[in-house]
Amino acid sequence: MTGSRERNFRHDETFSAHLTANSSEFAMSIADGETRMRDWIDKATAERLEKDVAAVKNDIAALTDQITDALNTFANSAGKQARRGYKQARENVDSTLDDMSERGSAMMGAAQDAYGSIEETLEDAITARPLATVGIALGIGFLIGVAWRR
C-alpha cells in the first residue's frame, strides 16, 4: 500500500493535505454549481416573466380591440336610433302640418261661408229696409268720426 500511496501523492504531501485541497476544490465546485443554478433559475424566471408580460400585452391588445368593437357597435346603434328618431319626428311634423293645413282650409271655408251668409243677410236687410240702413250707416260714420278726432 505504501507503493500505491506514493504513486498518488507527492512525496511531501500527506493524505490529509490532499483531502483538504480536494475538499476546497469540491466546495468551490459546489459554489460554482450553486451560482450556475441560481443564474439558471434567474434566467428561467426572467424568461417566464417575459412570457407573462408578452401574454398580458396580448390580452390588453385583445381587450382594446374588443372595446373598440363595442364602442363602434354602440355608435352605429346610436346613429341608427338617431336616424329613426329624426325620421319619426319628421313624419310627425309632416302629419301635423297636413292636419293644420286641413284645419286651416276648413276654417277658411267656414269664414267664406260666414262672409257669404253675412253678405246675404245685409243684402236682404238693405233691400227690406233701405231708409233704416242709411240711418244706421250715418250713425256708425258719425261715431267713427268722433272717435277719430280724439
Side-chain angles (χ1 to χ4, degrees), residues 26-103:
F26 182 71
M28 287 176 62
S29 152
I30 289 176
D32 275 349
E34 287 176 354
T35 304
R36 286 183 188 149
M37 182 65 88
R38 268 190 242 121
D39 289 346
W40 180 76
I41 290 172
D42 289 344
K43 188 175 180 181
T45 302
E47 288 174 357
R48 228 182 357 238
L49 284 173
E50 286 177 10
K51 287 179 184 177
D52 290 346
V53 168
V56 168
K57 284 181 181 179
N58 290 337
D59 290 346
I60 289 172
L63 284 173
T64 302
D65 290 342
Q66 287 177 351
I67 290 170
T68 301
D69 290 344
L71 288 175
N72 287 336
T73 302
F74 177 73
N76 290 338
S77 175
K80 286 178 184 177
Q81 285 182 331
R83 283 189 290 278
R84 271 190 243 127
Y86 172 75
K87 187 176 180 181
Q88 187 176 12
R90 188 171 180 170
E91 289 172 0
N92 289 343
V93 167
D94 289 343
S95 173
T96 302
L97 287 176
D98 289 343
D99 188 39
M100 291 176 84
S101 177
E102 288 174 13
R103 286 182 184 179

